[in-house]
Amino acid sequence: MSTQPPLPPEALDDWLAALAAALDLDPADIPVGLLLDLARDVAHGVARPAAPLSTFLVGLAAARNGGTAADIERAAALASGLALAWGEDHPQDGR
């Protein structure tokens, strides 16, 4: 685990811009709020380690289905819905 102090919020924007450029993506195509909401829903409804893996799977599914903003929104909505219902359907998981 890192012992570095937390970065200011604008560091997220800087990081995303740099990573998007390195991956040859347009930063405007990254639905930051949607992905952070998804990560929150999964972290709270399933488990914290499931959050980054779930956002990856949503991105992969969206890309395979066309990669449009609508594809991302659809995949994220499906994942969030599943995560929000997970605790009700799996109470034995003991979150």
Side-chain angles (χ1 to χ4, degrees):
M1 187 157 95
S2 175
T3 58
Q4 297 176 343
L7 296 174
E10 62 271 11
L12 176 62
D13 295 335
D14 294 343
W15 163 250
L16 290 176
L19 182 58
L23 296 172
D24 197 28
L25 298 171
D26 182 351
D29 291 337
I30 303 167
V32 175
L34 179 72
L35 294 173
L36 291 175
D37 288 347
L38 168 62
R40 178 203 59 222
D41 292 345
V42 173
H44 292 171
V46 181
R48 286 180 63 160
L53 299 171
S54 298
T55 57
F56 172 79
L57 290 176
V58 162
L60 184 61
R64 287 188 174 173
N65 288 306
T68 68
D71 295 319
I72 298 168
E73 290 173 13
R74 223 177 351 267
L78 189 149
S80 283
L82 184 61
L84 293 171
W86 193 260
E88 295 171 11
D89 296 340
H90 300 83
Q92 71 281 4
D93 292 349
R95 277 166 308 289

